[in-house]
Amino acid sequence: MHPLRQHIEELVHLTDTEFDVVLSHFEQVKKRKHQYIVQEGDFVNREYWVIKGCLKSCFFDDNGKEHILQFGMENWWITDYESFIKKTPSKIAIDCLEDCDLLYISYENREKLTAQMHKMERFWAKKSKYGRIALQKRILSLLKNSAKERYNLLLEEYPKLFQRVPKKLIAAYLGVSRETLSRLSS
Amino acid sequence: MHPLRQHIEELVHLTDTEFDVVLSHFEQVKKRKHQYIVQEGDFVNREYWVIKGCLKSCFFDDNGKEHILQFGMENWWITDYESFIKKTPSKIAIDCLEDCDLLYISYENREKLTAQMHKMERFWAKKSKYGRIALQKRILSLLKNSAKERYNLLLEEYPKLFQRVPKKLIAAYLGVSRETLSRLSS
């Protein structure tokens, strides 16, 4: 079974014909490590789904310090949703931490597909709800938890990240220095 | 026109019959200032829509300090989405800052309505996307902006809040002390 079909069918059932229609709205693209799929200032018109690889979305503060908004790995959807939906220039950048094999759907194709196929509207509605919950948890964690607690939560939720992502990026996600991270992980 | 219909029709068009079906899935409830609609530990089964009034969702850290996750006013949807969708005990509380007139829909009714009516699936999908963008902006702001910048962003986005909500709650939302807030707003 196509990995995207497997992924979608975790939430809604599709017939063969329906999946063919869905897939025909996507394009496939390969990116090498360090390549960008979104750069600051871009008007983002694609939502990506990760077949293989690992990416990060990040931004830089006025002091040039990097902050990580989210990571993306196999089966994750990633884009700058603010730019994608509101048609504003992106405030973030998304780049590949490994060689990546990606599917993407344009905004227009996503609109067309969800308008004509209730099942796909339902699928993305559910995905969007889960995305929202993850962001809510992140805000609670940023406001409430100590660095040690944030580290443990991340480790618990995404154990694989720690094997694939450089320590300094984990630190940038948690909002701590690399030295603090070394102390936390020891 | 019913205020809920007006609100929904900003995103999807409904016939009279369709709106009657939608409305039949809601219940109306009035709450007085200081009453809770969600308490920590609740299994939340309702999503609320504000006809009139103002609410806050908040949580307390281990030191008993209050943090505000979001405010809700007329035309806003509010609940603990994590608890509502994942059926986990709520980590937050939602209470009324003014007397409130609310509509709510149960999880089961929302599932039923979205399954049978593509337009409502589409409506909530869009709403959920906007909610996600708001949360993403909040995370960026928490990681990137100074207290002064966060204050200005909130003032710009929700000017009415500053007339309706006590200063100490604005401070709790921004994650600053009341003294700092007085300095920022002067």
Side-chain angles (χ1 to χ4, degrees):
Chain A
M1 194 188 274
H2 193 288
L4 180 62
R5 180 162 181 184
Q6 203 163 354
H7 173 69
I8 294 170
E9 295 222 10
E10 284 172 17
L11 294 178
V12 296
H13 176 69
L14 297 177
T15 65
D16 291 351
T17 320
E18 283 170 339
F19 180 69
D20 289 344
V21 173
V22 171
L23 194 60
S24 73
H25 287 72
F26 282 83
E27 301 282 342
Q28 193 162 347
V29 64
K30 285 177 190 293
K31 293 281 179 183
R32 283 191 315 280
K33 185 172 171 174
H34 299 311
Q35 280 191 308
Y36 283 85
I37 57 169
V38 170
Q39 298 194 68
E40 215 184 308
D42 283 355
F43 287 82
V44 178
N45 198 39
R46 296 172 176 182
E47 183 179 22
Y48 291 87
W49 182 73
V50 186
I51 303 177
K52 202 172 164 3
C54 185
L55 307 94
K56 67 168 162 52
S57 70
C58 63
F59 60 94
F60 294 86
D61 64 24
D62 294 340
N63 302 316
K65 198 177 150 205
E66 184 177 17
H67 298 273
I68 311 266
L69 188 64
Q70 75 160 101
F71 294 104
M73 293 185 294
E74 287 77 18
N75 291 332
W76 290 23
W77 296 87
I78 193 164
T79 188
D80 177 0
Y81 287 97
E82 185 174 3
S83 176
F84 184 68
I85 291 160
K86 289 192 164 177
K87 307 289 158 209
T88 51
S90 180
K91 293 175 198 146
I92 64 173
I94 306 178
D95 64 302
C96 300
L97 300 172
E98 303 171 354
D99 290 349
C100 285
D101 197 357
L102 308 164
L103 285 173
Y104 70 84
I105 186 164
S106 69
Y107 183 82
E108 294 72 26
N109 270 357
R110 196 189 198 275
E111 282 293 298
K112 218 165 61 180
L113 189 58
T114 50
Q116 77 186 53
M117 205 187 278
H118 186 169
K119 283 178 181 179
M120 287 307 293
E121 186 88 80
R122 193 161 182 79
F123 170 76
W124 270 304
K126 280 181 190 281
K127 276 288 154 194
S128 178
K129 280 192 267 188
Y130 292 128
R132 188 174 174 172
I133 290 172
L135 292 180
Q136 176 174 320
K137 282 171 89 167
R138 179 101 201 268
I139 292 174
L140 255 65
S141 177
L142 276 171
L143 289 171
K144 185 178 179 175
N145 295 126
S146 68
K148 178 71 182 165
E149 287 165 329
R150 294 206 300 275
Y151 176 86
N152 288 338
L153 279 171
L154 187 68
L155 184 60
E156 199 180 295
E157 202 139 9
Y158 309 111
K160 279 185 198 160
L161 262 187
F162 288 76
Q163 293 140 34
R164 291 173 73 169
V165 167
K167 281 250 172 12
K168 68 168 184 177
L169 294 181
I170 303 275
Y173 179 90
L174 295 171
V176 300
S177 69
R178 213 178 146 178
E179 294 68 38
T180 308
L181 184 73
S182 298
R183 216 171 48 239
L184 294 175
S185 57
S186 64
Chain B
M1 195 189 274
H2 193 289
L4 180 63
R5 180 161 180 185
Q6 202 163 355
H7 173 69
I8 294 170
E9 295 222 11
E10 284 171 17
L11 295 177
V12 296
H13 176 70
L14 296 176
T15 65
D16 290 354
T17 320
E18 282 170 341
F19 179 69
D20 288 346
V21 173
V22 170
L23 193 61
S24 73
H25 288 72
F26 283 82
E27 301 281 341
Q28 192 161 348
V29 64
K30 284 178 191 291
K31 292 280 179 184
R32 282 191 315 279
K33 185 172 172 173
H34 300 310
Q35 280 192 309
Y36 283 84
I37 58 168
V38 170
Q39 298 194 68
E40 215 184 309
D42 282 356
F43 287 83
V44 178
N45 198 41
R46 296 174 178 180
E47 184 179 21
Y48 291 87
W49 183 72
V50 185
I51 303 176
K52 202 172 165 10
C54 184
L55 307 93
K56 68 168 161 51
S57 70
C58 62
F59 60 96
F60 293 86
D61 66 22
D62 295 341
N63 302 318
K65 195 177 151 204
E66 184 177 18
H67 298 273
I68 310 268
L69 188 64
Q70 73 160 105
F71 294 103
M73 294 185 294
E74 286 78 17
N75 290 334
W76 291 22
W77 296 86
I78 193 164
T79 187
D80 176 1
Y81 287 95
E82 184 173 4
S83 176
F84 183 67
I85 290 159
K86 289 192 162 176
K87 306 288 158 212
T88 51
S90 181
K91 293 174 198 146
I92 63 173
I94 305 177
D95 65 302
C96 300
L97 300 173
E98 303 171 352
D99 290 350
C100 284
D101 195 357
L102 308 164
L103 285 173
Y104 70 83
I105 185 163
S106 70
Y107 182 83
E108 295 72 24
N109 270 358
R110 196 189 199 276
E111 283 294 297
K112 220 166 58 180
L113 189 58
T114 51
Q116 78 186 48
M117 204 187 279
H118 186 170
K119 284 179 181 178
M120 287 308 292
E121 187 86 81
R122 193 162 183 80
F123 170 75
W124 269 304
K126 280 181 189 279
K127 276 287 154 198
S128 179
K129 281 191 269 187
Y130 292 128
R132 188 173 174 173
I133 290 171
L135 292 179
Q136 175 175 319
K137 282 172 88 167
R138 179 101 202 265
I139 292 174
L140 256 66
S141 176
L142 277 171
L143 289 170
K144 187 178 178 174
N145 294 125
S146 67
K148 177 71 181 168
E149 288 164 330
R150 295 207 300 277
Y151 176 86
N152 287 338
L153 280 171
L154 187 68
L155 184 59
E156 198 180 295
E157 202 138 13
Y158 308 112
K160 278 186 200 160
L161 261 186
F162 288 75
Q163 292 141 32
R164 291 174 70 170
V165 166
K167 281 252 171 12
K168 67 168 187 180
L169 295 180
I170 302 276
Y173 179 91
L174 295 171
V176 300
S177 69
R178 213 179 145 177
E179 293 69 37
T180 307
L181 184 73
S182 298
R183 215 171 48 239
L184 294 176
S185 57
S186 65

